[in-house]
Amino acid sequence: MLELIKSAVNYILDLGATAMLPIILTIFGLILGQSLSKSFRAGLTVGIGFTGLNLVIGLLSDSVGTASQAMIERLGLNLDILDVGWPIGAAITFATPIAVLLIPVIFIFNIILLRYNMTKTMDVDLWNYWHLIFPGAMIYYATNSIWIAIICSLINAFVIFKLADWTAPAVEHFFGLPGISLPHGETVNFAPITYALNRLWDKIPGLNKIDINAKNLKDKLGLFGEPMMIGLILGIGMGFLAGYDSQAIIQLGIQMSAVMILMPRMVALLMEGLAPIADAAKSFIQKRFPGKKVYIGLDAAVVTAHPAIITVALIMVPITIFLAAVLPYNRLLPFADLAVLPFTVIWSVAASKGNIFRGLLNAIVSLCLVLFIATNLGALTTTMAHAVGFAFPEGATMISGIDMSSHLTLWIMLKLIDPTNVPAFAAGIIGLLLYGGLWYWVRNDIKKQFPESENN
């Protein structure tokens, strides 16, 4: 039976989001009472949008990844934990023995939470379930207990779903995606921290007056403030820091300019398909459960097209490399995941409502935390990779990644699972109190930012 479930799960995962989302959304649309033609057209449009978005993200990853490697080589960084990137992190996670159990368990848990009004998020982003499974897999190898791993996975999933509920009004009113939430563990768990930082910047005289956003850049700088020109300038700057020749610098500038223009258009196409599904879901819920609201949980990729996010992410590439070089505790060599910094900085930017200056400050603090967690959990990540038979790159003895190390809730739980380890347990208690306290402190901030929204 377990092998049958594993085969079915692997078949769905191997098809990928672009192939399965049209099928899932078509079925979802039919359940909601839409016609077959309308449901299929919506699902197919979403699949096309995701395909285009993945192509643009691939262009960004290839271009930024190569430039980042050149910058690292020029600096001569020699750190002993290699950032292998999220695709390898996902592959290792799905290869763990607990993964096949956690996929249906977390999905059913999500349905139960919805049924009893304990979340408003229905997470249909099955291909990013690895972010919900990764904490459980790490805890499994830390404790060798499948039950502790499952319990911790469900606790983590519950927290992520509640964070997705809390931030959904920002997804609607800042990013323009109504009815959508982002239960993306390694991104949304930074929201309480970045909203707390935003409050801190509000209290610092002078700094609280600085507002640099995509709109006023365009108004003040004209052509040079447009997204395509910002991409061109940042690409040229990155190429210069990488030591490229003039031809490669120009090519990178054009590629980054293309990313700034193409990503929003792919997201617009994706939302064209999601809109009728979201409307149908809203009508369905209102008829059967008056006053209840349900969000469709999607990949955070749908918001990475925002000009302020791409701008902050590109600026953060050299800054992250610099932080890795100067932070005394850091042992992570940033590499593969530098290309996915647009995901890492989502809530750094959203908390500041698109203020690029504040977004950068938030992102710098966030990356300092990420580098600390990557270093702290590098040994356990390496143990898990060895256990599933991961072939280490030549010369690498330990691995981790920016994406894998963005799971704040995982770090807290790992410190709390062994009360006999007094220093770690104390660190976990402090981390839990700080994280919970910051979230409680800013719990109403999204409502204040977007008073027209219905917040949790």
Side-chain angles (χ1 to χ4, degrees):
M1 183 63 181
L2 190 61
E3 283 300 315
L4 182 62
I5 295 172
K6 186 175 181 179
S7 297
V9 168
N10 286 338
Y11 179 79
I12 292 171
L13 293 175
D14 289 344
L15 277 174
T18 54
M20 279 303 296
L21 262 181
I23 298 172
I24 291 173
L25 290 178
T26 298
I27 295 171
F28 192 39
L30 291 173
I31 292 172
L32 296 174
Q34 281 189 326
S35 66
L36 176 61
S37 60
K38 192 170 184 179
S39 299
F40 182 69
R41 185 185 187 283
L44 186 58
T45 303
V46 170
I48 293 168
F50 257 114
T51 300
L53 187 59
N54 286 336
L55 289 172
V56 180
I57 290 174
L59 171 63
L60 177 66
S61 298
D62 292 342
S63 303
V64 172
T66 305
S68 301
Q69 184 177 10
M71 279 187 260
I72 290 168
E73 289 174 354
R74 290 190 80 195
L75 285 172
L77 289 186
N78 186 24
L79 301 165
D80 64 342
I81 302 177
L82 178 64
D83 173 7
V84 293
W86 75 264
I88 289 176
I92 291 171
T93 301
F94 281 131
T96 60
I98 198 172
V100 68
L101 289 174
L102 286 179
I103 292 173
V105 166
I106 292 173
F107 183 80
I108 293 168
F109 182 62
N110 190 183
I111 299 296
I112 293 171
L113 292 177
L114 272 172
R115 170 65 180 81
Y116 291 100
N117 299 316
M118 299 179 73
T119 185
K120 299 178 182 179
T121 292
M122 177 67 241
D123 189 359
V124 301
D125 184 26
L126 298 178
W127 300 269
N128 276 302
Y129 260 44
W130 84 268
H131 291 297
L132 298 175
I133 298 168
F134 179 71
M138 289 279 280
I139 288 170
Y140 172 72
Y141 284 100
T143 64
N144 201 30
S145 169
I146 194 168
W147 295 111
I148 294 176
I150 291 173
I151 291 168
C152 289
S153 294
L154 296 182
I155 293 171
N156 177 74
F158 178 72
V159 172
I160 296 304
F161 293 146
K162 295 304 291 184
L163 285 166
D165 293 345
W166 174 56
T167 53
V171 176
E172 175 177 357
H173 297 286
F174 178 66
F175 292 114
L177 304 176
I180 303 300
S181 69
L182 308 176
H184 218 227
E186 91 286 16
T187 60
V188 76
N189 66 183
F190 273 97
I193 292 173
T194 55
Y195 275 93
L197 287 170
N198 198 54
R199 277 204 184 188
L200 176 63
W201 311 141
D202 278 336
K203 299 180 184 298
I204 300 177
L207 190 148
N208 57 12
K209 302 297 183 184
I210 301 174
D211 184 11
I212 303 172
N213 57 59
K215 185 179 184 304
N216 63 31
L217 274 179
K218 186 174 180 180
D219 291 341
K220 293 177 181 179
L221 301 178
L223 173 64
F224 289 96
E226 293 185 10
M228 70 172 71
M229 289 302 296
I230 293 172
L232 178 67
I233 293 166
L234 291 175
I236 289 172
M238 195 180 301
F240 177 78
L241 291 174
Y244 283 179
D245 60 30
S246 59
Q247 288 181 322
I249 287 174
I250 293 170
Q251 288 171 347
L252 183 58
I254 297 297
Q255 288 167 345
M256 293 303 99
S257 182
V259 166
M260 295 288 278
I261 294 298
L262 293 176
M263 281 187 78
R265 296 188 181 181
M266 292 303 102
V267 171
L269 182 61
L270 183 134
M271 287 311 301
E272 180 186 328
L274 280 175
I277 298 292
D279 290 342
K282 184 177 180 180
S283 300
F284 182 88
I285 295 298
Q286 285 177 344
K287 285 179 183 178
R288 289 161 180 80
F289 307 98
K292 186 173 181 178
K293 190 169 187 176
V294 174
Y295 301 118
I296 300 172
L298 290 179
D299 186 346
V302 298
V303 300
T304 55
H306 194 283
I309 287 177
I310 303 175
T311 300
V312 170
L314 292 179
I315 296 172
M316 280 302 298
V317 171
I319 291 177
T320 301
I321 295 171
F322 174 75
L323 289 173
V326 300
L327 289 173
Y329 58 77
N330 177 62
R331 293 166 57 192
L332 180 75
L333 179 65
F335 180 51
D337 272 342
L338 286 168
V340 295
L341 283 177
F343 291 82
T344 311
V345 306
I346 286 170
W347 291 104
S348 294
V349 173
S352 66
K353 291 187 71 174
N355 185 331
I356 293 170
F357 178 74
R358 287 195 184 191
L360 273 172
L361 295 180
N362 292 341
I364 289 170
V365 175
S366 298
L367 263 297
C368 288
L369 286 172
V370 168
L371 293 172
F372 169 76
I373 294 173
T375 299
N376 194 247
L377 301 185
L380 181 58
T381 309
T382 302
T383 296
M384 187 167 76
H386 278 304
V388 302
F390 171 67
F392 279 57
E394 185 178 351
T397 57
M398 297 181 69
I399 67 165
S400 189
I402 290 173
D403 189 282
M404 286 184 278
S405 304
S406 294
H407 294 78
L408 290 169
T409 49
L410 164 62
W411 185 85
I412 293 171
M413 286 192 296
L414 278 168
K415 300 303 174 186
L416 291 174
I417 57 175
D418 184 10
T420 62
N421 186 339
V422 177
F425 188 73
I429 291 292
I430 293 170
L432 179 62
L433 292 175
L434 281 174
Y435 190 76
L438 290 176
W439 191 357
Y440 182 80
W441 187 40
V442 299
R443 68 194 185 283
N444 294 318
D445 283 21
I446 296 177
K447 183 184 290 185
K448 292 174 183 176
Q449 278 190 339
F450 308 104
E452 68 274 28
S453 66
E454 293 181 12
N455 205 0
N456 298 285

